[in-house]
Amino acid sequence: MLLLRHCQGVTRVGLLKTQRLLNSVATPSVTGCVGSLCARWGSSHGGQESGSYKRSHVPNWRHALAGLLAGTGAVLAYGLHSQAERAATTMVQPIDPPTSMPIFTQDDVTKHRSIEEGVWVTYKGSVYDITEFVSMHPGGDKILLAAGGALEPFWALYAVHSQEHVLEILSEYKVGELSAEDRRKQQTVKSSDPYSTDPVRHPALHVNSLKPFNAEPPAEILSDNYITPSAIFFKRNHLPVPQVDPKAYQLHVEGLPGAEPLVLSLEELKTRFPKHTVTATLQCAGNRRSEMNKVKPVKGLNWGIAAISNATWSGAKLKDVLLAAGYRPELAQQACHVQFEGLDRDATGTTYGASIPLHKAVSDEGDVLLAYEMNGEDLPADHGYPVRVVVPGTVGARNVKWLGKIIVSEEESSSHWQQNDYKGFSPATDWDTVDFKSAPAIQELPIQSAITQPAEGATLDRRAEEVTVKGYAWSGGGREVVRVDVSLDGGQTWKVAQLQGGEKPQPGRAWAWKLWELTAPLPPATQELEIVCKAVDNSYNMQPDTVAPIWNLRGVLSNAWHRVKVTIREDEEE
């Protein structure tokens, strides 16, 4: 029985509940349901001790809880899916809650974020100690993402948490209640802070900057889904998130000779133009910048490998809107660029801006959208509500959010982020010699891949006999990833990974990433592995093998072979 720790006022809570349930168990059919509470604690073996019964069935409910806490469908399926239908119909006698339990503050809970200090979480005002579960389960690293905080943001990503029998499983770990003050408490803000109205973000995100907010999902969950849930899609903001009233929203389209500026409401954008949906990966120019920082310090957010995500985007085609505003093909002889201005602005009123080549904007195959939906729902505030530009195959910086104005122009955007940022330079260029006007603005990004599992520094068990390596691969410009090579010995020998993705893309329109996976035997007599991946696209572009030759002072375009070192734990002698 689980002895609930860190709680002097409650001991052997699980044992008390066990006895109540044992008294209520009447038939083998009830105890035979693995998914039910009775099956966890009761006995159908003619007087067999309940503790023995628990040990023989423990993987089922532990895997169920792991799936919920970690958000991992595969783990959940192992221990829960086959029993869900039967469990849903199982009748269990209600358990009376204890008359009183200890009261904890949120500060108390936050202190418990590790195995050493205990792993506590909250759910709907109750406090749970899941330390023993985490320490026993191989998926504990993902479960720890919720440690010291609330489960709701994690469970919101997955529908299975609402099943009653799973919530009952969680209840066995309850150690107390959250204080009334913390239950009522809402985030207080200062009106003078331009970031005070920024939205609440998912606590799993690894934050690189709070103001403006920039964060990436944990690498270990990035490749769990082909379509990245919006809540953990990487966030890249340059300025405070603007508050936009959808009823008052207006999109201005200007710069077309002989035509009056076109002004569209959100409703007009949705009703006047056909709705198109595109699945496209967005990647920050600084993705994997942290690897360049290890070679030589660079300026910029210290992104890991997860400043990249994949989503479905829906909205009007930019080409359709430009045609409605008066664009004609002959205009291409005069104008070369389409500029975008966001509604996000700094203290001086300067807005975020960027531009793309006109031919990309008006091409039928360019698939540039004025998107108002992400993953089938209205754009979240962090991702540009109510309208943003989605430029498939192009660096994230050109996918302007909170779009307010479109300008067809002979010139690129004069924005700082177009002219004096997001450009690549030689490793020989430093901040004393750099000339931003000498380099073109980044548009299409180069071939990229990275390992999401196992993590750097992970320990593998020799008894498993094999290792599974997972990751993502993507190339800009609509070039399709056709192969990912994986090495377990630092690049001396290679194996080809299995690619996983959506439907076969049309040539030149491979906008979405490929997830990949490789399972291979553990090399004998080896205590450390250097796992390496490299991708190839359909133009046979390949990643460079090291970071140093592509280092640049802004740390952009970091796409060298990705390397992860892990150790192998040998079998312990009997």
Side-chain angles (χ1 to χ4, degrees):
M1 241 352 120
L2 172 65
L3 177 61
L4 294 171
R5 293 171 291 177
H6 310 289
C7 179
Q8 298 179 354
V10 180
T11 59
R12 302 286 184 178
V13 173
L15 186 59
L16 295 175
K17 293 184 178 181
T18 301
Q19 187 61 50
R20 293 177 186 172
L21 280 167
L22 284 172
N23 294 335
S24 70
V25 175
T27 64
S29 63
V30 173
T31 59
C33 267
V34 177
S36 72
L37 195 59
C38 292
R40 293 203 317 280
W41 300 111
S43 172
S44 60
H45 300 285
Q48 181 183 16
E49 181 182 337
S50 61
S52 300
Y53 187 85
K54 176 185 174 183
R55 285 192 295 273
S56 67
H57 288 72
V58 70
N60 291 302
W61 59 265
R62 279 186 176 150
H63 278 281
L65 187 57
L68 294 179
L69 295 176
T72 308
V75 177
L76 184 66
Y78 175 77
L80 176 63
H81 180 72
S82 62
Q83 304 297 336
E85 184 174 351
R86 282 182 293 167
T89 60
T90 300
M91 299 301 294
V92 180
Q93 180 174 326
I95 303 172
D96 294 332
T99 55
S100 63
M101 296 194 78
I103 303 299
F104 299 103
T105 67
Q106 181 60 56
D107 287 342
D108 293 330
V109 177
T110 303
K111 293 175 183 177
H112 296 83
R113 304 182 67 177
S114 66
I115 298 297
E116 295 73 22
E117 297 295 331
V119 179
W120 290 16
V121 295
T122 65
Y123 181 69
K124 292 188 175 180
S126 296
V127 179
Y128 302 86
D129 178 355
I130 60 171
T131 311
E132 183 171 314
F133 172 79
V134 172
S135 62
M136 288 181 176
H137 198 276
D141 57 337
K142 291 187 179 182
I143 298 168
L144 285 171
L145 295 173
L151 287 179
E152 284 91 340
F154 294 86
W155 282 5
L157 295 175
Y158 301 90
V160 290
H161 74 274
S162 59
Q163 299 182 53
E164 182 177 355
H165 62 288
V166 178
L167 297 178
E168 291 180 347
I169 293 171
L170 179 65
S171 71
E172 298 301 326
Y173 290 91
K174 184 172 177 178
V175 295
E177 300 287 348
L178 201 59
S179 70
E181 179 182 356
D182 282 313
R183 295 179 71 166
R184 291 193 304 265
K185 188 181 297 181
Q186 296 181 354
Q187 185 177 7
T188 57
V189 296
K190 296 181 179 179
S191 59
S192 59
D193 183 357
Y195 295 93
S196 64
T197 56
D198 270 17
V200 176
R201 280 85 180 206
H202 198 284
L205 294 170
H206 291 172
V207 179
N208 285 314
S209 167
L210 278 173
K211 298 179 181 182
F213 189 81
N214 292 281
E216 59 190 300
E220 61 267 29
I221 66 174
L222 180 62
S223 58
D224 281 355
N225 300 282
Y226 177 68
I227 300 297
T228 310
S230 302
I232 59 171
F233 196 103
F234 84 97
K235 313 288 191 271
R236 179 62 177 111
N237 296 336
H238 297 83
L239 299 164
V241 175
Q243 300 294 297
V244 184
D245 180 356
K247 295 181 179 179
Y249 173 79
Q250 290 186 330
L251 175 62
H252 297 258
V253 185
E254 304 174 359
L256 292 160
E260 292 293 324
L262 176 66
V263 180
L264 295 170
S265 68
L266 179 61
E267 184 65 20
E268 288 172 327
L269 184 65
K270 291 181 176 182
T271 58
R272 284 185 56 180
F273 305 97
K275 180 180 178 180
H276 296 269
T277 297
V278 174
T279 300
T281 297
L282 299 187
Q283 179 181 217
C284 180
N287 191 32
R288 299 180 59 192
R289 180 179 282 129
S290 57
E291 294 165 58
M292 286 195 174
N293 258 322
K294 294 176 182 178
V295 174
K296 184 180 177 182
V298 299
K299 290 186 178 180
L301 297 169
N302 198 39
W303 293 108
I305 66 167
I308 182 172
S309 300
N310 191 49
T312 57
W313 310 94
S314 299
K317 279 199 172 184
L318 174 58
K319 178 183 178 181
D320 292 343
V321 173
L322 291 179
L323 287 172
Y327 171 79
R328 297 295 178 266
E330 55 270 20
L331 182 61
Q333 299 177 4
Q334 306 173 41
C336 299
H337 306 275
V338 177
Q339 302 178 10
F340 306 113
E341 290 185 8
L343 296 173
D344 48 335
R345 59 188 70 240
D346 64 17
T348 69
T350 301
T351 60
Y352 182 85
S355 60
I356 62 172
L358 178 63
H359 66 79
K360 170 70 174 177
V362 299
S363 169
D364 285 331
E365 292 76 33
D367 292 323
V368 181
L369 294 182
L370 304 181
Y372 43 79
E373 290 182 4
M374 177 183 185
N375 293 340
E377 298 179 343
D378 289 345
L379 287 172
D382 263 326
H383 296 290
Y385 181 82
V387 178
R388 73 171 299 167
V389 184
V390 173
V391 190
T394 299
V395 65
R398 313 302 169 216
N399 292 252
V400 175
K401 299 185 286 188
W402 312 290
L403 185 64
K405 185 180 292 186
I406 301 171
I407 305 171
V408 179
S409 174
E410 297 180 13
E411 305 292 337
E412 275 190 326
S413 169
S414 61
S415 164
H416 162 83
W417 295 279
Q418 187 84 20
Q419 299 301 323
N420 297 308
D421 203 350
Y422 298 120
K423 296 183 176 184
F425 295 95
S426 164
T429 301
D430 59 28
W431 287 103
D432 293 326
T433 60
V434 64
D435 177 11
F436 276 93
K437 297 186 184 303
S438 68
I442 299 170
Q443 294 286 347
E444 296 178 358
L445 286 169
I447 182 73
Q448 176 70 282
S449 71
I451 299 164
T452 57
Q453 299 178 40
E456 173 71 23
T459 299
L460 309 179
D461 192 334
R462 172 68 71 183
R463 292 172 296 180
E465 299 183 348
E466 60 185 18
V467 57
T468 296
V469 186
K470 297 181 180 182
Y472 66 79
W474 180 76
S475 190
R479 294 177 288 275
E480 182 181 6
V481 171
V482 296
R483 193 179 79 237
V484 173
D485 299 322
V486 179
S487 172
L488 301 184
D489 54 15
Q492 297 181 52
T493 61
W494 299 89
K495 301 178 185 296
V496 179
Q498 180 179 357
L499 299 179
Q500 303 167 343
E503 298 179 358
K504 176 72 175 176
Q506 296 181 27
R509 300 168 82 175
W511 308 127
W513 63 11
K514 296 284 184 72
L515 301 181
W516 54 265
E517 183 173 326
L518 172 76
T519 299
L522 288 172
T526 301
Q527 279 71 50
E528 184 178 87
L529 301 181
E530 184 181 22
I531 307 175
V532 184
C533 74
K534 60 183 178 73
V536 182
D537 68 22
N538 62 353
S539 293
Y540 289 96
N541 294 307
M542 290 175 277
Q543 297 172 250
D545 59 348
T546 58
V547 177
I550 60 172
W551 182 95
N552 59 86
L553 77 175
R554 278 291 282 118
V556 295
L557 308 171
S558 181
N559 73 324
W561 295 359
H562 188 223
R563 302 169 184 266
V564 168
K565 290 185 178 181
V566 300
T567 57
I568 301 175
R569 183 178 61 244
E570 298 296 333
D571 296 343
E572 296 181 1
E573 295 184 3
E574 294 288 338

